[in-house]
C-alpha cells in the first residue's frame, strides 16, 4: 500500500468503466460522482428524487462539461423501485465495474419503509442487499468488478438484535441504536459477500469504508438538538468536509492494491478525519454466525437470492 497520503489524484483513469453511485445527488455520493466522472467513468447517479439528481448532474457538468452521468430513479426504501432500477440499468448497460452502495439515512425517528422494514435497516442495509443481488449477474461478467459498502464508525456500538431486528412498534428503538445496527449490518454483509465471492472463484472484490465525521445532510436529524450543538462546537476541529469524507470510499473503490474484505477510513485520531487508510472494524463485524444469519434473513425479507455459480 502507498505510504504517503492517498488523494483523489491517485485514482487511475476509469475511461470505459461503468459505475453506479447510490444517493449520488448529495453529500458523499455527490462528491464521489464528481470525482469518478472526472476520471472518465460513465456514472449512473441513483437518486430518490429525479429533480435533485438532475440538479446534481447540472452542477457537476458546469465544472466538467465532458462528464458522462446518467441520472436514474432509485428509492432504497421501496423494493419495487430497487428492482425497477436494476432492470432499467441492465437494459441500457452490459457491464458494471463498480457498485458504490453509498446512500443512507442516519438517526431518523422510528418509521417504516414501504415494505414494512424499520427504515434505517431497510434503507442502509436491505435496500442495498437487494440492489446488489439484482445486479449480481452483471457484476459477475465484468472483469475485476468491485462492490463498496459505506458503513460508519457508529458500527462499533452496533448489535444485531435478531429477536427484534425491526424494533416492532418502536419497542426498544432509539435512533442511534438502530443506526449502529444498520452500519454493523453493512460490514457483516461485506464480509459474507466477500467470503461467498471467494468460495465461488468470482472476479469481484468486496470492500467497505467509512467517512469519519463529515459535514453532510445526514446530520439533519440531530443537528438541532441541544447536545449536538454543544458537541458540534467541540468536535468542529475534528470534522471534515464532504469531499474529504468521500475519500475512504473512493480509495476502497479504485485503489488497484485493495484486497477483498478491507475496510477504509480516515487516518487521523479516532478515525474522525484525515487521509484514507485501512482501519480495523470491531471483531463483531467478522462474526460468521451473525453474518450467515443476517444473509438468510435478508434473503427472506427482500425475496432476493444471489446467483453465485458461474
Amino acid at each position: 500500500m502507498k505510504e504517503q497520503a492517498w488523494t483523489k489524484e491517485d485514482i487511475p483513469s476509469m475511461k470505459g468503466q461503468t459505475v453506479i453511485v447510490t444517493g449520488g445527488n448529495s453529500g458523499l455520493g455527490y462528491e464521489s460522482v464528481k470525482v469518478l466522472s472526472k476520471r472518465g467513468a460513465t456514472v449512473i447517479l441513483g437518486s430518490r428524487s429525479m429533480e435533485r439528481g438532475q440538479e446534481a448532474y447540472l452542477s457537476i457538468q458546469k465544472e466538467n462539461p465532458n462528464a458522462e452521468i446518467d441520472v436514474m430513479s432509485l428509492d432504497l426504501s421501496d423494493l419495487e423501485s430497487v428492482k425497477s432500477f436494476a432492470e432499467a440499468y441492465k437494459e441500457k448497460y452490459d457491464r458494471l465495474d463498480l457498485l458504490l452502495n453509498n446512500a443512507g439515512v442516519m438517526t431518523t425517528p422510528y418509521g417504516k419503509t414501504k415494505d414494512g422494514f424499520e427504515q434505517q435497516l431497510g434503507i442502509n442495509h436491505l435496500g442495498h442487499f437487494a440492489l446488489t443481488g439484482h445486479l449480481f449477474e452483471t457484476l459477475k461478467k465484468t472483469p475485476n468488478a468491485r462492490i463498496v459498502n459505506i458503513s460508519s464508525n457508529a458500527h462499533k456500538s452496533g448489535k444485531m438484535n435478531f429477536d427484534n431486528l425491526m424494533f416492532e412498534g418502536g419497542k426498544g428503538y432509539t435512533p442511534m441504536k438502530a443506526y449502529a445496527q444498520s452500519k454493523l449490518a453493512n460490514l457483516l454483509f461485506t464480509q459474507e459477500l466477500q467470503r461467498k465471492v471467494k468460495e465461488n472463484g468470482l472476479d469481484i472484490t468486496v470492500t467497505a469504508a467509512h467517512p469519519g465525521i463529515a459535514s453532510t445532510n445526514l446530520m439533519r436529524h440531530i443537528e438541532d438538538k441541544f447536545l449536538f450543538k454543544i458537541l458540534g462546537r467541540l468536535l468542529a476541529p475534528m470534522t471534515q468536509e464532504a469531499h474529504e469524507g468521500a475519500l475512504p470510499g473512493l480509495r476502497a473503490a479504485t485503489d488497484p492494491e485493495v484486497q477483498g474484505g478491507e475496510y477504509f477510513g480516515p487516518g487521523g485520531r479516532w478515525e474522525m478525519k484525515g487521509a484514507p487508510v485501512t482501519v480495523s472494524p470491531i471483531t463483531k463485524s467478522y462474526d460468521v454466525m451473525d453474518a450467515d444469519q443476517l444473509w438468510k434473513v435478508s434473503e427472506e425479507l427482500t425475496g432476493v437470492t444471489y446467483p453465485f455459480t458461474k
Side-chain angles (χ1 to χ4, degrees):
M1 283 283 183
K2 177 184 164 74
E3 287 183 15
Q4 66 261 43
W6 190 94
T7 72
K8 63 184 182 182
E9 306 307 322
D10 291 298
I11 298 174
S13 168
M14 298 188 72
K15 198 77 181 163
Q17 294 193 33
T18 307
V19 169
I20 292 173
V21 179
T22 68
N25 58 287
S26 66
L28 306 177
Y30 173 80
E31 297 298 335
S32 300
V33 171
K34 193 194 292 188
V35 171
L36 294 167
S37 58
K38 187 76 174 172
R39 300 305 295 146
T42 297
V43 184
I44 289 72
L45 188 162
S47 177
R48 188 165 54 90
S49 160
M50 286 296 285
E51 185 184 353
R52 287 200 296 271
Q54 203 61 32
E55 285 170 4
Y57 163 61
L58 292 172
S59 172
I60 292 170
Q61 200 186 38
K62 279 180 188 171
E63 282 183 48
N64 177 17
N66 298 318
E68 290 185 26
I69 296 170
D70 185 359
V71 180
M72 291 176 66
S73 176
L74 173 62
D75 183 353
L76 288 155
S77 70
D78 179 354
L79 291 178
E80 200 52 52
S81 170
V82 172
K83 186 179 180 184
S84 297
F85 170 89
E87 286 173 352
Y89 177 84
K90 288 183 281 190
E91 279 178 20
K92 292 173 81 171
Y93 303 96
D94 61 2
R95 65 183 294 133
L96 179 53
D97 298 270
L98 168 64
L99 173 58
L100 180 49
N101 287 325
N102 158 83
V105 291
M106 176 181 175
T107 60
T108 56
Y110 175 73
K112 290 187 174 184
T113 68
K114 187 178 177 185
D115 302 283
F117 309 141
E118 183 279 310
Q119 64 182 343
Q120 295 196 77
L121 189 74
I123 294 168
N124 297 351
H125 167 62
L126 291 169
H128 282 124
F129 179 91
L131 177 65
T132 307
H134 285 310
L135 294 168
F136 204 71
E137 284 284 12
T138 309
L139 287 157
K140 265 168 54 180
K141 67 183 184 184
T142 307
N144 199 28
R146 202 172 288 197
I147 299 163
V148 179
N149 299 313
I150 300 300
S151 183
S152 162
N153 244 342
H155 86 274
K156 292 177 179 176
S157 63
K159 183 187 175 196
M160 299 309 301
N161 183 3
F162 290 108
D163 293 330
N164 187 19
L165 204 57
M166 300 298 173
F167 299 93
E168 285 303 334
K171 184 183 176 187
Y173 184 87
T174 70
M176 185 50 83
K177 191 192 292 183
Y179 179 65
Q181 176 179 250
S182 74
K183 294 288 110 180
L184 177 56
N186 290 152
L187 293 178
L188 288 166
F189 171 48
T190 299
Q191 294 303 327
E192 185 67 8
L193 182 52
Q194 176 59 33
R195 270 191 289 274
K196 290 179 185 297
V197 159
K198 193 173 179 182
E199 282 168 11
N200 288 279
L202 302 177
D203 189 15
I204 300 173
T205 302
V206 191
T207 66
H210 79 86
I213 300 186
S215 302
T216 71
N217 63 5
L218 267 187
M219 295 285 191
R220 67 187 178 275
H221 291 289
I222 53 175
E223 61 194 3
D224 294 329
K225 295 185 180 175
F226 179 68
L227 181 61
F228 183 78
K229 286 180 178 177
I230 296 170
L231 284 174
R233 292 191 194 101
L234 295 172
L235 293 175
M238 300 178 203
T239 61
Q240 52 189 0
E241 295 302 314
H243 70 91
E244 296 167 307
L247 290 177
L250 286 168
R251 183 169 190 180
T254 63
D255 190 330
E257 295 181 34
V258 165
Q259 301 295 308
E262 285 189 316
Y263 184 44
F264 289 82
R269 183 182 290 182
W270 300 315
E271 297 172 27
M272 287 186 173
K273 65 187 292 188
V277 296
T278 51
V279 294
S280 298
I282 57 168
T283 309
K284 272 192 286 189
S285 67
Y286 295 107
D287 188 310
V288 177
M289 288 178 69
D290 274 3
D292 180 59
Q293 188 170 357
L294 178 64
W295 189 278
K296 286 171 180 166
V297 168
S298 300
E299 284 184 329
E300 204 175 293
L301 292 170
T302 64
V304 176
T305 56
Y306 282 55
F308 282 108
T309 50
K310 287 185 178 180

